[in-house]
Amino acid sequence: MKSSRLLSIVLLLQTRGRMTAAQLAAELAVSVRTVYRDIESLHAAGVPMYGDAGHCGGYQLLAGYRTRLTGLSPGEAEALFLSGIPGPAAELGLGAPLAAAQLKLRAALPHELREQADRMRARFHLDAPGWYAQDEETPYLQQVADAVWHSRVLDVRYRRWQQPTDVDRRLEPYGLVLKAGRWYVVAGPGPRTYRVDQILRLTVLDEKFTPPENFDLAGHWERHQADFHARLHQAEALVRIAPHAASRLMGAAARALADSGTPDPDGWIRAVLPVESLDHAHGVFLALGEDVEVLGPPELRAALAATVRALAMRYASG
């Protein structure tokens, strides 16, 4: 454990430059005192680094020092090859560099780790999009990625769901996110999130921008997701559902049923389930047929009753 942490400190300093003991401790999830002891161990092992005190101080490797790729555990070697998803890399124009990097990494691994990495790649395949999701055309993805990397401003024509649908936007692209097979660009001002496949026209401007110093793409996306789900489920329905039909619920409704559902004397489960809207809930519960009873709200129960009556009349007349 300690040897892995020591290697992590060297690699962090090698890739990020000067870091304070507090920053290293936060990155490694250990105490500052532990970092001090680890630094002493690295000094004793001959790793050329120095530390400066004061507000702008920190630890830094001597210029030109690089560690070789050693100390990989079997699990780490397997994970490196599992993390290389060829589809998204190819979409970004990085398919060939990814293949070359994996080839070089494989050649550098000891024989036993190379065999385990090859076994992992042969037995696991990652396919992120859902079964019924069609491949989206994203003709501007590589240009957006290049603008993200080089901090270039974009002038785009963008299609949104609300009126007017087609709008012009000046974007400062902070980062790209791949979610369920679909690419999103997080861009200022705001920042706001845009679907890359909805960009109708794109011009890369000569103008450059400076991303906010404290912007964290992963943290922003996590907050964006939480806000999206909070806005998505703004209504509730009180239902009774047959136990064998519970597995047909998905997402927030399935979690609510598992967390707060209570059994009735007849074995059915009673629960308050979050729904996106009454119209959406109408379709969801109608698909469950006789295995669900909606108790409220009254307007949803009435809508389902009217649909069932209309269906009964249609099939009776046939």
Side-chain angles (χ1 to χ4, degrees), residues 12 19 34 37 48 77 83 88 91 97 99 110 137 156-157 265 284 295 316:
L12 283 169
M19 295 182 70
T34 298
R37 289 197 296 265
S83 65
E91 291 176 0
E137 294 292 332
V156 305
R157 184 76 170 171
V284 171
L295 303 177

Side-chain angles (χ1 to χ4, degrees), residues 271-315:
V272 176
L273 305 182
V275 295
E276 296 181 23
S277 65
L278 295 185
D279 286 342
H280 181 263
H282 177 273
V284 171
F285 295 134
L286 193 63
L288 293 175
E290 62 180 4
D291 291 328
V292 67
E293 179 186 2
V294 175
L295 303 177
E299 55 268 36
L300 176 58
R301 182 180 174 92
L304 285 166
T307 300
V308 171
R309 285 194 297 269
L311 287 172
M313 293 177 59
R314 178 175 300 168
Y315 286 103

Side-chain angles (χ1 to χ4, degrees), residues 21-22 74 111 135 157 194 248 288 312:
H111 177 72
D135 292 337
R157 184 76 170 171
Y194 301 85
R248 295 164 62 186
L288 293 175

Side-chain angles (χ1 to χ4, degrees), residues 224-237 249-257 272-282 284-285:
H224 172 75
Q225 289 284 89
D227 179 65
F228 172 79
H229 288 294
R231 289 184 287 106
L232 185 64
H233 301 102
Q234 296 186 342
E236 293 180 334
L249 292 176
M250 296 184 295
R255 291 192 296 271
L257 186 69
V272 176
L273 305 182
V275 295
E276 296 181 23
S277 65
L278 295 185
D279 286 342
H280 181 263
H282 177 273
V284 171
F285 295 134

Side-chain angles (χ1 to χ4, degrees), residues 69 72 75-85 98 102 105 109:
L69 184 61
L72 281 178
E76 291 167 341
E78 294 167 356
L80 280 174
F81 281 90
L82 189 62
S83 65
I85 307 177
L98 173 63
Q102 287 189 332
L105 175 60
L109 290 173

Side-chain angles (χ1 to χ4, degrees), residues 156-217:
V156 305
R157 184 76 170 171
Y158 185 76
R159 176 159 293 165
R160 58 183 186 174
W161 64 271
Q162 63 187 111
Q163 295 291 337
T165 56
D166 296 356
V167 294
D168 294 321
R169 290 287 185 266
R170 175 191 178 277
L171 303 183
E172 298 178 357
Y174 299 159
L176 278 167
V177 175
L178 178 62
K179 172 71 173 180
R182 180 171 289 158
W183 288 97
Y184 298 85
V185 58
V186 179
R192 300 183 65 181
T193 301
Y194 301 85
R195 279 176 52 176
V196 178
D197 64 316
Q198 295 302 302
I199 294 178
L200 307 176
R201 175 185 54 77
L202 178 146
T203 301
V204 181
L205 303 181
D206 291 334
E207 181 183 357
K208 301 195 72 172
F209 68 93
T210 301
E213 185 176 350
N214 60 349
F215 178 73
D216 173 33
L217 180 61

